[in-house]
Amino acid sequence: MRFSSLVITNDPFDVIQLKDTSNGILVEIYSMGALINGFYVFVNGQLHNVIDGFVSPNAALKEITYGFKSAKLAPFVCRMANGQFNIDGRYYTIGKFYLGDHAIHGLVYDALFEVINLYADEHACSVGLRYRYNGTDKGYPFPFELLVNWKLEANQKVTVTTTVMQQGTVPIPYSDGWHPYFMIGTGIDDCTLQFNSNKQVEFDERLLPTGITISDHRFEQGTLLKDISLDNCFLLDASVPAKCTLSNHLMDLHIQPDKAYPYLQLYIPPHRNSIAIENLSSAPDAFNNDMGLLWLKPNQHYIFSTSYTIKQRNNG
């Protein structure tokens, strides 16, 4: 059979390998955070990981809050001002991780997901993972369930689909996203970035949205990232299919979110070896500024999906 899906270790948590046996393409999924830790493709005859991931599962346990590599972002994304929000005058204060004064990157980035299915046939392979958040953080006492499905198919395409549902009695606030870092065989300074947006979300000095968008046309036709610093959020153009392409002389990485992810957060770390390209359902601090904030109704499913496709330019 062309594709395979299996758990290759369960120490200290389940690690799942998705494989296209026809060409050796591998995808590595950690059940911790349901995150992608590897997407291996051949470049000039050598296997290259386009994900800037962890060296081991144990390293992920220890280091997830250092950069939040590939982290699942829920039920809020990026920064939440002072870790606080209010609903009808009642204030809630997040109890989990803070960067400076602000809560950051949600509550499930280190959650241990359960593997609920493995699937493979001649056309694709996948893994399904589930996590039930029980409202344990004092600042978000609203239970919900996450289902995350990672799928590898032909043409070096990986798709991640998240389904969320809550079974309470009233709507609850929610944002969804991912925090993967990509490296495509060179430093970021040698890469070009293109995506369909001419609107940047304006940030204040705290890196929190002011509530308005400003004009930014740099990336519509593609821009070399050399000498560009990014820790910014953009609103994708809803009138055209959403896409983002990171390119160099070796390959093109095509990222295609569905309409449930209208925001694109970008971050280049100081080492400039990789770039975080984060598909988000809302802007940062949405619980306070309402930019894209969802209210999950009881017993309704909400679905978010993004695909990543690699196309080599030189695979000699």
Side-chain angles (χ1 to χ4, degrees):
M1 188 162 55
R2 175 174 173 177
F3 288 90
S4 66
S5 176
L6 69 157
V7 176
I8 58 174
T9 184
N10 55 17
D11 182 19
F13 49 73
D14 288 338
V15 177
I16 303 93
Q17 183 187 86
L18 308 178
K19 185 175 183 178
D20 184 343
T21 61
S22 72
N23 54 21
I25 303 303
L26 297 173
V27 174
E28 182 180 73
I29 304 299
Y30 283 2
S31 62
M32 188 201 82
L35 62 83
I36 185 170
N37 196 61
F39 183 4
Y40 294 86
V41 300
F42 283 93
V43 180
N44 293 332
Q46 296 189 350
L47 206 57
H48 174 77
N49 188 4
V50 302
I51 302 294
D52 184 0
F54 299 98
V55 298
S56 69
N58 282 310
L61 285 174
K62 296 176 182 177
E63 301 168 7
I64 184 63
T65 57
Y66 296 95
F68 291 86
K69 292 181 178 181
S70 291
K72 178 63 180 171
L73 309 180
F76 64 91
V77 300
C78 305
R79 288 170 174 80
M80 179 187 290
N82 302 309
Q84 292 187 328
F85 65 99
N86 82 85
I87 301 176
D88 297 329
R90 179 178 177 180
Y91 281 82
Y92 298 85
T93 301
I94 298 297
K96 207 164 184 178
F97 189 82
Y98 279 64
L99 185 63
D101 294 330
H102 311 303
I104 193 167
H105 295 329
L107 303 175
V108 303
Y109 51 80
D110 59 355
L112 294 180
F113 281 66
E114 171 193 6
V115 177
I116 57 173
N117 61 68
L118 298 167
Y119 181 80
D121 62 17
E122 291 297 326
H123 306 288
C125 56
S126 64
V127 58
L129 303 113
R130 177 173 59 201
Y131 178 70
R132 293 189 174 104
Y133 171 73
N134 293 322
T136 50
D137 190 289
K138 63 181 181 180
Y140 193 85
F142 313 115
F144 62 89
E145 180 178 89
L146 282 176
L147 300 175
V148 176
N149 183 271
W150 287 96
K151 178 182 179 182
L152 170 66
E153 53 192 312
N155 300 315
Q156 303 179 156
K157 181 179 181 180
V158 174
T159 300
V160 58
T161 301
T162 299
T163 304
V164 61
M165 184 182 73
Q166 65 102 358
Q167 295 178 315
T169 58
V170 296
I172 62 174
Y174 184 85
S175 297
D176 194 273
W178 291 97
H179 201 284
Y181 289 76
F182 297 98
M183 49 187 185
I184 57 173
T186 66
I188 292 304
D189 287 345
D190 296 318
C191 297
T192 296
L193 184 65
Q194 186 276 328
F195 54 90
N196 296 332
S197 173
N198 58 20
K199 293 181 179 179
Q200 183 188 137
V201 176
E202 183 183 66
F203 284 173
D204 63 19
E205 68 281 357
R206 303 171 297 166
L207 296 178
L208 295 168
T210 64
I212 65 173
T213 58
I214 56 178
S215 179
D216 188 340
H217 294 266
R218 289 178 295 169
F219 300 99
E220 289 181 292
Q221 302 302 320
T223 297
L224 184 68
L225 291 174
K226 183 176 175 59
D227 299 324
I228 291 180
S229 296
L230 286 170
D231 196 352
N232 303 98
C233 184
F234 296 83
L235 179 60
L236 296 173
D237 185 349
S239 68
V240 295
K243 65 178 182 178
C244 174
T245 302
L246 182 68
S247 304
N248 61 12
H249 68 282
L250 296 171
M251 67 182 90
D252 301 313
L253 167 65
H254 298 283
I255 301 172
Q256 189 161 5
D258 68 8
K259 291 185 177 181
Y261 286 137
Y263 290 88
L264 186 69
Q265 177 87 10
L266 302 169
Y267 171 63
I268 299 177
H271 57 67
R272 301 188 70 83
N273 295 322
S274 60
I275 178 173
I277 302 177
E278 311 164 38
N279 294 115
L280 309 175
S281 68
S282 77
D285 200 29
F287 280 44
N288 292 303
N289 60 41
D290 204 34
M291 297 178 70
L293 181 65
L294 298 173
W295 288 86
L296 303 185
K297 296 179 181 179
N299 301 307
Q300 289 193 17
H301 292 86
Y302 296 79
I303 300 173
F304 313 84
S305 185
T306 300
S307 67
Y308 310 101
T309 305
I310 292 289
K311 297 187 181 298
Q312 285 94 336
R313 292 192 175 190
N314 179 5
N315 195 19

